[in-house]
Every structure is written in structure tokens, then in C-alpha cells.
Amino acid sequence: MAINLLDFTRICRRLAKQAFGSYAGKPASGGLPRWVHVVVHCLRLEEGWTYTEVIDRLRLMPAICELLDLLPEALPDPTTFWYSFDRFAMRVWRALLRVSAQQHPNSGHVALDSTFFERGHASHYYLKRVDRTIQTLKVTTLTDVESLAVLDVHCSVKWRHDTILGRKLVRRNADELVSVAADKAFHNWPIRYEYYAESIEPLLLRSGSTLGPHLHNALIRTNGYNQRWMAETSYSSTKRSLGPDVRSLAWYRQFREIVLMFAIHNIEGLSETL
């Protein structure tokens, strides 16, 4: 889906300032305002640019430079943005994801699912040099089934069981949830009781071939479980738009990149299309 890049930048600017709050301005040590770095990283991932290409393209986009309070003839070195992606902690990108999701209507009905992102794309030489054997990252998300907004993300190098990952996400967002739809991998009895205790309806499939699981699964399908596929739709649109792999080398940068990708997915849903 092609979007209006100027409108996308305008929305990113507004949300980045909300995510930083009173800390959106310039740091005490000087340099660019913090929100500018976040918007540039959004543009970089949205367009698939390298850090060097970001500077080159911005020189040709005076309207976007004006939104960013930058002068096309006085742009910073590409390493400025490379270091800022290192410097900003994960809480910054999670705050951007949260405020971007809040711009969409929140129905309280969410789908819980997992997907995988390839991490071997960036540099095979680097992977061999650091003796990295894990080639994929497991990503579990909460997706609103009506707006397709991604509410929360959990990234993992070690593939822990879905019941553990799903419980973490639901606990963090329990106050905003009405029901959770997920497949058999996310089901066990303690989790069902925990969701009920939080006043959340667990639309979780049960495994088994006896009459009990068959009746249970038929019941939850009539209560809204079939909307679980909306999580897979959000994965599909994100990977088609931004790619199925991460390009950062360090694992902590890869986690930040994935959270930023889903924040961009939310922002794309707010932007004007071409």
C-alpha cells in the first residue's frame, strides 16, 4: 500500500513528540531534538533506506526537512542517526508503539499470535564471526481484531512456549482487554483461570479429540474466535511493506527495529494513501 510520505512524516512527528513528552526537545549536550531522530528512523524503515541514503534523500525533500526543522544544506552526518538508534532505549520505541496504537479505535477484543523474522539477512560474515547460530527471532503480538492495530510486542531469541509469552502480553494490557483469541499453543488451564480473574474472556482453542474439546472449540468459534486471523493479517501487511527480516546486527537493535516496524504498521493505517 503506497502512502503519502509527507502525511506519514507529519503523523510521525506528532506521535514522536507524544512518546517523549517533556523530553522531546534537544538534550542538554546539544544536537538535534530527540523527536527528530525518531521520525528519521521511521522514514528509514518505511522506505528501506540505509543511514547514508537517508541523508541523501532528505537533501532532495525540502518539504520533509521543513517538517523536521532541518536545513537540506546542513544535514548531520549519517552516523548521528546510527548512534541515536543505539542510544535510545527500548522504552522509547515501546512508547511510540503505544501512542500509535492509541490513535486507532480500541475494541478490547484482541488476537494473540506469534510470527518469525529472519535475522541472517544483514551480514552473513558478521553472523559467522560472532558464531551466531540462531537465525530467526520469535515475535508475539497483541492485535486489535477490529482496527488491526498492534497493541504490544514481545521479541525473543530463545523460543519459549507460547503460553509463557502470551501470559506476559496479556498481563501488561489486562486493563484494556475484553477477550483474547488464540490457538491451541497458548492454552492451558491455569492461564484460562488467570484470564477469567482479570475479567477477560479467553477464546483459546483446546487440543484433544474427545467430545469435550470439540464442544469447547465449537462454542468459542461462535463467540468470536474466528477473528484470530486478523493477527496474521497484520503480520502479512507489515512484512509486505517493510520486509520479513531485520537488518540490524546487534540483537538489542533488532528488538528495537521490530517494535519500530509494528509502530510504523500502525502509523501507515493513519496515513493518507496514494
Side-chain angles (χ1 to χ4, degrees):
M1 178 181 66
I3 63 171
N4 185 317
L5 198 59
L6 192 61
D7 186 55
F8 175 83
T9 307
R10 190 178 295 111
I11 295 173
C12 287
R13 168 181 168 150
R14 174 170 57 86
L15 297 184
K17 289 184 176 181
Q18 289 182 26
F20 274 111
S22 59
Y23 297 96
K26 294 182 179 180
S29 56
L32 299 176
R34 296 180 178 92
W35 66 265
V36 173
H37 290 274
V38 171
V39 177
V40 170
H41 287 299
C42 289
L43 287 170
R44 176 177 63 83
L45 280 189
E46 170 64 27
E47 296 299 309
W49 295 335
T50 64
Y51 288 96
T52 304
E53 289 172 341
V54 165
I55 303 303
D56 182 64
R57 302 299 189 272
L58 287 178
R59 288 197 183 100
L60 306 176
M61 297 178 173
I64 290 182
C65 285
E66 184 178 352
L67 279 176
L68 299 178
D69 299 334
L70 297 174
L71 296 175
E73 64 276 8
L75 293 174
D77 190 81
T79 57
T80 301
F81 298 111
W82 190 92
Y83 283 117
S84 70
F85 202 58
D86 244 9
R87 189 167 63 252
F88 292 164
M90 175 64 91
R91 62 178 178 271
V92 172
W93 310 107
R94 286 197 175 279
L96 181 65
L97 176 67
R98 183 172 61 254
V99 298
S100 66
Q102 289 171 349
Q103 310 307 305
H104 295 265
N106 182 10
S107 66
H109 301 282
V110 298
L112 183 62
D113 205 358
S114 296
T115 188
F116 298 90
F117 282 84
E118 297 297 326
R119 67 192 306 221
H121 176 79
S123 171
H124 289 289
Y125 169 73
Y126 176 83
L127 297 180
K128 185 177 180 179
R129 182 160 56 89
V130 298
D131 194 26
R132 180 183 295 170
T133 58
I134 301 175
Q135 298 296 315
T136 55
L137 293 173
K138 185 174 184 177
V139 179
T140 307
T141 65
L142 276 181
T143 305
D144 190 281
V145 298
E146 293 188 9
S147 65
L148 280 184
V150 176
L151 308 181
D152 202 354
V153 176
H154 184 280
C155 307
S156 177
V157 175
K158 297 181 179 180
W159 297 359
R160 306 183 72 182
H161 198 273
D162 285 335
T163 54
I164 299 174
L165 303 179
R167 178 183 291 174
K168 285 186 176 181
L169 288 176
V170 172
R171 280 178 176 172
R172 288 205 296 248
N173 301 273
D175 294 339
E176 304 173 3
L177 304 184
V178 176
S179 69
V180 176
D183 59 24
K184 300 174 184 178
F186 291 91
H187 176 274
N188 65 27
W189 288 106
I191 284 180
R192 289 181 61 82
Y193 295 139
E194 181 177 327
Y195 290 175
Y196 280 127
E198 297 284 352
S199 300
I200 300 171
E201 183 179 7
L203 303 176
L204 310 176
L205 282 185
R206 283 176 55 189
S207 58
S209 57
T210 59
L211 182 60
H214 278 295
L215 292 177
H216 168 83
N217 295 343
L219 178 62
I220 69 167
R221 285 191 173 96
T222 62
N223 290 342
Y225 169 79
N226 291 335
Q227 294 297 308
R228 190 194 65 82
W229 65 270
M230 300 295 278
E232 297 175 1
T233 302
S234 68
Y235 297 152
S236 175
S237 60
T238 301
K239 290 182 178 181
R240 282 188 284 110
S241 174
L242 305 175
D245 43 53
V246 290
R247 291 173 171 78
S248 299
L249 297 181
W251 64 268
Y252 62 92
R253 291 173 68 99
Q254 292 172 353
F255 286 7
R256 296 171 189 177
E257 184 177 335
I258 288 173
V259 173
L260 180 55
M261 289 171 71
F262 283 107
I264 291 173
H265 161 78
N266 292 343
I267 296 170
E268 287 177 341
L270 304 169
S271 304
E272 296 178 1
T273 58
L274 299 179

